[in-house]
Amino acid sequence: MDQLVFALLNGTIYGLLLFMVSAGLTLIFGMMGVLNFAHASFYMLGAYFAYTLEPLTGFWAAILLSPLLVTGIGVLVEKFILRRVHAFGHAHELLVTFGLSVVIAELIKMGYGNFPVDYRVPPELRFAAFSISGIDYPFYRLFMGAIALVMFAAIYLLLTRTRVGIVVRSAIYRPQMVEALGHNVPLVFMGVFGVGAGLAGLAGAVAGAFYTTNPNMALELGVVVFVVVVVGGLGSMGGAMLASLLIGITNSLAVGSNLRPADLFALVGQRDWAEQIGGLMTVQLSSLAATLPFLIMLIVLVVRPSGLMGEKE
Amino acid sequence: MNDTVLKFENVHKSFGPAHIIRDVDLDVHRGERHAVIGPNGAGKSTLFHLCSGQFAPSSGRILLDGEQISGLRPAEVNRRGLARSFQITNIFPGITVHENLRLAVMRKHGLQFSFWRFAGRLSAVNAEVEDLLDRLRLTARAGTLANQLSYSEQRSLEIGMTLASDPKLILLDEPMAGMSQEETDYTADLIREITRGRTLLIVEHDMSVVFALADRISVLVYGEIIATGTPEEIRANAQVKEAYLGEEVAA
Amino acid sequence: MKAKIFLVAIAVAVLVALPWLVSTPLLNAAVQMLIAALFAMAFSFLCGRAGMLSFGHAAYFGIGAFAAVHAMNAFGGAGLLPTPLLPLVGAGTGLLGGLIAGYFATKRTGVYFAMITLALAELLHALAPHLKGTFGGEAGISSFRMPAWGFTFGSVTEVYFLTLAWVLLCIGLLWLLGLTPLGRLALGLRENGHRLRFLGYNVHALSTLVFAVSAMFAGVAGALQSLNIEAANYVVLEAHVSTSVVLNSFIGGVRVFLGPAIGGAAMTFFGYITADLTRVWLLYQGIIFVLVMMFLPRGLVGELVERFSGGERRSGGTALLDGGWRLAGFAMAAAGCVFLVEFLQRFLSTGYRATATGENWPPIELMGFDWSPGSPLTWLLPAALLAAGLWLLGAANKRAAAQQEALA
């Protein structure tokens, strides 16, 4: 039972982290029609920048400055690269960001080596928030969840309560109209792209310390975020949130479980048959956890191809 | 006795709280040119989307030659013999005019997953494409990429692709939208010529075209058919004058 | 048309004569180039012709590679089929894998499709380590080529000819496929899938079939690789395999028939000759790709074809002159950029960091000279090259634009 509480809590926090990254992706896609393949690379950059800054500025300043740097890079990418290829169509924009993700990953490998770096939660934050039946729950996890929640609140208020937010929201639906009304849409696009990148950078700076910071983190997270987006539907923040939590929780439940697919067949009295098949049937669910998001995606594709909250194409 | 090709029975469509089509009953007779007119937002395009398989009706049925087609997918509706054009030009922009028409013709010949013959050697298909090109007056443009055509040529191509499967019923969705008077005359002429002997359901804003082209006209206002009849009957109908023409005049 | 046939005939003749023209290591590289070319062609059948961008083609390449290794090891090493026919196994499994994956992936279009293909490839990649019997774990599975039909397949030359025959056959088949109704409909999928639906076509089934055909040829390429290296390791399922086929194909140009093949072969060749010179070839590949996407959106071969087929509006002389300036500018900028990257790579490497202690920064050897990280020249030289090159490029472009305007 306690295990379950922990797993649910871990899953929720991982889900919030996924949402932090997928929210930016959804925002950019909704607004500019660009699927930014390099979005998870911004997450990685956030972690590496924070790791680099930490010895110089201390942890707190590092996780504040790093997203700002990433925002700057996002702005440059939008202004000098994306805008140039805009005329060639959305597929081209996707390809260019794909190329960028390769370049960023290779630069990181060049600068920091093709192995994890020692970016860790600072000692003063390494304490237990609470404990249930003798098992401590790390404070830092709650801290990550809290950052994510504060961020959503901030974005939500920004989008719904401010003038800028109104312009941004209307630019999503009617960019030409907004431009005709005298707003500087390219500037808005640049801003949104930068903010989206910065959000991913913040997520990276915070989460990189807890999970691992290595040159593969962009790909690993990126794939899960794409799955979130396919499952949730790109158009809706609500869908992204639902799918993030669904995948986060499923993942962490699976990690904590020592069930095997063969055990499920025991329910219908076919355990021996399943054991004989071997292969995947006898692998523990915990080691298959990484594949569960993909399975969820396949099921969603068959049952509801447009995504949980997506509109029909 | 009138032979009905397309029949709407109590068709209703709502999107959430918005009722776009309200209990429409409509018969399209074989061989007639039937126009649907109505002010903006009356639901004309939705009506087309319903019978071509884009949307399923919320209630009621649509029958093509006595068979239910409402709720089927677009490809299935097309294969039962209903082909449509689109209000916004919907062609294959990056390939040639000839190729556009060939894709439209091939389906009728059951060529879909065929990878063992050459498209260039399908003589029946190619003859039909040539014939269509000729009737669309596009022969000289056969090798041009579709996106290089002029607007009215693209509209002609769009109509030609609709015609290619030799359907029982052709739906044309505002074929003259955005055309100059000259282009409109040309296209109206083309439509009259190439749909001879076929059944046509057309949505169009240009009243002079509608009254000149159609055998019968239905008037759709706020999702309801308020009148159906010959152009003379529609012209004389008081309800239509009030609800539709009156509004046009006022505006 | 005649010129094209002539060019292709010459290319084939050169390929056939290659074993007598080049050294064994180069011939080995040629085998890899051929495989990369076929893989890129298979990818582009899907991406260029049918407009479906796949980020997960490693999966079908890998399926073909593993199937071929298992087929080679079948019957106690006797092989399921004679060695020359083993790529058929890759084709079959690639087709099957493509049908299954394609069924799911083509449920969506556009960016969703791209993301799903990536996810499916990662699914296979994540599962593979748990299936030791099939994918051989860390070590992979090794095998060896059995003699057949009077050939021993012991020499590189024989392997080269086997690969060449299959690659030419497959490229020929892909070309013919483009002329069939299915191939024409693939174009329709790319241009306007929505319209195809209203013309009565089953778009999902069509997309799945096109996907499967592409996966089938990718499987052949994978099988050829297994035959070549007599082993398969789940490294072939990794994302960078999918990545490089995307990069290679687009650098060549996915919409011209042989563009991807040329891109794949050329990039593999450059990777091979620079293998001793640089450790960051993938970085260069990525940079080249981004530049091509930004400035030559049709790809290198695509732009060349466009230049030669589209009527050149300006007189040959000035165009050539501009071309010359551009080339010079590009070469200077590239030299500056390469210098910077290579220097930084060495400077940041762990080996160098270990030797550098405190204030002592030993010089770094590059292009035959020693460069001290503390010296301004080390940084000014590449910066100057880069700036001058970019200035030249900009000036040439401005000139060309002005002339275009004068003509228009």
Side-chain angles (χ1 to χ4, degrees):
Chain A
M1 191 57 216
D2 303 341
Q3 293 279 351
L4 192 66
V5 172
F6 277 126
L8 284 177
L9 208 52
N10 287 350
T12 309
I13 287 165
Y14 181 56
L16 285 173
L17 176 76
L18 284 177
F19 182 59
M20 224 158 140
V21 182
S22 56
L25 192 72
T26 306
L27 200 66
I28 293 170
F29 182 83
M31 181 141 178
M32 307 167 65
V34 179
L35 181 82
N36 177 18
F37 202 95
H39 197 69
S41 306
F42 291 137
Y43 166 83
M44 174 161 76
L45 282 179
Y48 272 95
F49 284 160
Y51 162 72
T52 313
L53 288 170
E54 194 192 3
L56 306 171
T57 65
F59 180 75
W60 293 104
I63 62 168
L64 284 178
L65 286 175
S66 154
L68 291 179
L69 280 175
V70 178
T71 304
I73 290 180
V75 165
L76 293 179
V77 164
E78 203 281 329
K79 188 165 164 55
F80 291 106
I81 298 181
L82 272 185
R83 210 171 282 178
R84 226 202 122 80
V85 298
H86 185 74
F88 306 144
H90 290 324
H92 236 82
E93 291 173 313
L94 170 63
L95 282 166
V96 165
T97 57
F98 174 71
L100 276 178
S101 75
V102 174
V103 171
I104 292 174
E106 290 305 312
L107 283 175
I108 291 284
K109 280 182 202 164
M110 189 172 100
Y112 296 90
N114 193 2
F115 42 78
V117 293
D118 186 30
Y119 178 39
R120 276 195 255 172
V121 178
E124 68 266 25
L125 291 175
R126 256 180 259 153
F127 57 86
F130 57 85
S131 58
I132 300 177
S133 35
I135 309 167
D136 289 343
Y137 196 81
F139 165 77
Y140 197 79
R141 272 191 198 268
L142 293 185
F143 172 68
M144 290 193 294
I147 288 210
L149 288 176
V150 167
M151 217 189 58
F152 307 144
I155 295 184
Y156 180 77
L157 291 177
L158 197 74
L159 282 179
T160 53
R161 299 290 158 83
T162 64
R163 275 184 67 88
V164 179
I166 292 167
V167 173
V168 167
R169 279 191 300 153
S170 40
I172 292 178
Y173 298 107
R174 293 263 181 282
Q176 277 98 19
M177 190 57 155
V178 175
E179 187 140 35
L181 289 173
H183 295 286
N184 187 344
V185 169
L187 186 73
V188 173
F189 277 9
M190 196 168 84
V192 168
F193 198 87
V195 169
L199 286 184
L202 177 62
V206 174
F210 190 81
Y211 302 105
T212 55
T213 297
N214 67 39
N216 280 327
M217 65 194 286
L219 177 70
E220 282 160 9
L221 187 89
V223 171
V224 181
V225 166
F226 287 159
V227 169
V228 163
V229 161
V230 172
V231 169
L234 255 181
S236 76
M237 284 282 176
M241 180 63 135
L242 186 67
S244 299
L245 289 177
L246 174 70
I247 283 168
I249 290 172
T250 323
N251 201 50
S252 91
L253 285 179
V255 169
S257 134
N258 47 18
L259 275 176
R260 304 169 309 160
D263 298 333
L264 297 178
F265 282 87
L267 297 175
V268 286
Q270 296 293 327
R271 181 196 291 268
D272 291 340
W273 170 77
E275 298 267 0
Q276 273 173 358
I277 290 181
L280 284 180
M281 288 296 169
T282 53
V283 178
Q284 289 207 342
L285 209 51
S286 55
S287 49
L288 292 178
T291 66
L292 279 182
F294 305 123
L295 295 181
I296 294 176
M297 179 188 80
L298 295 184
I299 294 168
V300 168
L301 279 177
V302 173
V303 180
R304 215 184 135 78
S306 49
L308 293 177
M309 313 266 278
E311 292 184 9
K312 267 188 96 175
E313 274 178 72
Chain B
M1 109 131 234
N2 275 318
D3 181 7
T4 301
V5 177
L6 185 72
K7 190 175 184 62
F8 284 74
E9 285 182 356
N10 283 321
V11 173
H12 197 96
K13 176 71 183 174
S14 50
F15 295 96
H19 298 271
I20 307 297
I21 299 293
R22 305 157 192 251
D23 297 321
V24 163
D25 286 295
L26 178 68
D27 287 356
V28 178
H29 302 153
R30 196 177 305 282
E32 75 170 339
R33 289 193 290 258
H34 195 123
V36 177
I37 61 171
N40 281 324
K44 301 183 297 288
S45 287
T46 308
L47 205 64
F48 266 28
H49 287 323
L50 287 173
C51 45
S52 63
Q54 184 100 325
F55 302 142
S58 308
S59 65
R61 299 197 301 162
I62 302 169
L63 307 172
L64 181 70
D65 260 351
E67 282 180 73
Q68 182 167 344
I69 55 164
S70 45
L72 293 182
R73 283 180 299 186
E76 290 163 347
V77 172
N78 179 281
R79 292 176 59 182
R80 307 251 169 135
L82 184 155
R84 70 166 294 183
S85 77
F86 291 82
Q87 191 176 340
I88 297 163
T89 308
N90 199 343
I91 53 180
F92 302 102
I95 54 182
T96 64
V97 172
H98 185 277
E99 192 83 56
N100 265 275
L101 289 172
R102 187 159 66 185
L103 291 184
V105 168
M106 277 191 324
R107 183 69 197 91
K108 190 180 67 176
H109 291 264
L111 297 162
Q112 182 164 203
F113 308 117
S114 159
F115 54 84
W116 54 89
R117 341 183 221 195
F118 293 123
R121 296 203 190 146
L122 302 163
S123 44
V125 170
N126 289 313
E128 260 177 65
V129 172
E130 298 297 335
D131 179 49
L132 265 173
L133 280 169
D134 185 43
R135 284 157 62 200
L136 296 167
R137 307 165 200 169
L138 286 174
T139 306
R141 308 288 265 157
T144 312
L145 294 184
N147 54 14
Q148 313 273 318
L149 294 179
S150 73
Y151 180 68
S152 76
E153 285 173 327
Q154 288 188 352
R155 300 301 297 179
S156 301
L157 179 59
E158 168 94 47
I159 295 168
M161 285 164 67
T162 311
L163 214 68
S165 61
D166 197 15
K168 291 175 193 163
L169 176 66
I170 301 164
L171 268 60
L172 297 181
D173 194 353
E174 295 196 25
M176 281 74 159
M179 283 189 181
S180 67
Q181 191 54 50
E182 205 176 321
E183 289 171 326
T184 302
D185 292 344
Y186 173 85
T187 308
D189 197 33
L190 185 73
I191 291 174
R192 201 191 322 268
E193 195 179 301
I194 62 177
T195 59
R196 188 161 292 145
R198 294 171 191 270
T199 316
L200 179 68
L201 183 62
I202 181 171
V203 165
E204 183 51 53
H205 269 300
D206 191 316
M207 286 307 126
S208 59
V209 171
V210 168
F211 282 91
L213 194 67
D215 301 317
R216 288 201 306 153
I217 297 173
S218 293
V219 184
L220 190 70
V221 177
Y222 294 121
E224 284 173 284
I225 300 266
I226 60 167
T228 296
T230 62
E232 293 71 39
E233 286 166 0
I234 293 298
R235 239 190 280 267
N237 187 311
Q239 216 183 343
V240 174
K241 271 186 191 163
E242 184 197 324
Y244 180 61
L245 297 173
E247 186 184 304
E248 286 268 290
V249 171
Chain C
M1 192 63 206
K2 266 189 187 156
K4 269 188 198 162
I5 295 173
F6 184 64
L7 277 177
V8 168
I10 288 184
V12 171
V14 169
L15 285 173
V16 169
L18 207 62
W20 292 277
L21 300 176
V22 301
S23 63
T24 307
L26 259 179
L27 196 62
N28 242 326
V31 173
Q32 283 165 21
M33 285 162 68
L34 284 171
I35 293 169
L38 176 58
F39 188 25
M41 289 298 288
F43 166 81
S44 302
F45 185 74
L46 184 68
C47 180
R49 178 165 282 274
M52 293 186 265
L53 175 56
S54 160
F55 284 130
H57 248 48
Y60 319 104
F61 186 84
I63 290 175
F66 277 102
V69 166
H70 283 294
M72 285 161 89
N73 286 340
F75 304 119
L80 185 66
L81 291 171
T83 301
L85 295 181
L86 281 169
L88 285 178
V89 178
T93 45
L95 182 69
L96 194 66
L99 281 173
I100 297 168
Y103 168 81
F104 289 105
T106 59
K107 286 241 168 194
R108 303 296 302 268
T109 54
V111 294
Y112 290 97
F113 173 85
M115 291 188 281
I116 295 163
T117 53
L118 177 68
L120 287 170
E122 286 302 304
L123 170 63
L124 188 63
H125 180 236
L127 280 179
H130 301 295
L131 298 168
K132 272 219 159 103
T134 316
F135 297 102
E138 290 279 343
I141 303 174
S142 55
S143 172
F144 72 103
R145 294 183 292 266
M146 292 302 282
W149 300 356
F151 300 103
T152 60
F153 295 108
S155 73
V156 183
T157 309
E158 285 181 0
V159 173
Y160 173 79
F161 277 119
L162 177 62
T163 310
L164 180 64
W166 271 100
V167 169
L168 289 181
L169 173 72
C170 289
I171 291 181
L173 284 175
L174 280 166
W175 187 70
L176 292 177
L177 208 53
L179 301 176
T180 65
L182 180 70
R184 306 326 284 177
L185 281 166
L187 287 175
L189 285 175
R190 177 186 84 193
E191 292 297 323
N192 193 344
H194 177 255
R195 189 64 167 118
L196 274 190
R197 213 165 271 144
F198 283 91
L199 291 174
Y201 292 99
N202 184 342
V203 168
H204 183 225
L206 265 177
S207 311
T208 306
L209 191 59
V210 171
F211 191 100
V213 167
S214 166
M216 177 175 86
F217 286 103
V220 174
L224 287 172
Q225 163 145 311
S226 290
L227 274 175
N228 180 33
I229 62 176
E230 301 186 289
N233 185 300
Y234 65 65
V235 173
V236 295
L237 299 172
E238 278 180 1
H240 70 86
V241 178
S242 304
T243 303
S244 55
V245 75
V246 176
L247 302 189
N248 292 345
S249 304
F250 277 93
I251 288 172
V254 290
R255 298 242 179 136
V256 268
F257 184 70
L258 283 175
I262 294 170
M267 294 313 274
T268 310
F269 180 69
F270 286 126
Y272 167 78
I273 54 169
T274 55
D276 299 331
L277 302 173
T278 179
R279 286 155 186 241
V280 286
W281 166 241
L282 253 176
L283 175 62
Y284 291 121
Q285 209 177 359
I287 294 174
I288 294 172
F289 172 78
V290 172
L291 290 176
V292 166
M293 287 291 98
M294 285 174 70
F295 299 102
L296 304 168
R298 293 188 189 90
L300 295 176
V301 182
E303 292 290 337
L304 277 178
V305 168
E306 186 72 16
R307 292 283 150 84
F308 282 106
S309 62
E312 182 71 51
R313 282 213 275 162
R314 293 184 301 144
S315 66
T318 47
L320 210 63
L321 192 66
D322 272 344
W325 282 118
R326 273 196 200 131
L327 212 62
F330 179 75
M332 282 169 79
C337 186
V338 168
F339 184 97
L340 212 58
V341 167
E342 289 303 317
F343 187 80
L344 277 173
Q345 189 268 319
R346 284 163 177 73
F347 182 62
L348 293 166
S349 70
T350 33
Y352 179 78
R353 275 190 235 176
T355 60
T357 46
E359 295 298 300
N360 174 33
W361 299 91
I364 293 168
E365 202 238 302
L366 187 62
M367 301 175 191
F369 294 96
D370 280 343
W371 307 87
S372 163
S375 141
L377 180 73
T378 310
W379 303 99
L380 277 177
L381 179 78
L385 272 173
L386 198 61
L390 290 179
W391 180 81
L392 259 182
L393 271 175
N397 280 344
K398 257 186 209 154
R399 224 174 92 107
Q403 280 180 352
Q404 288 279 15
E405 212 156 294
L407 274 180

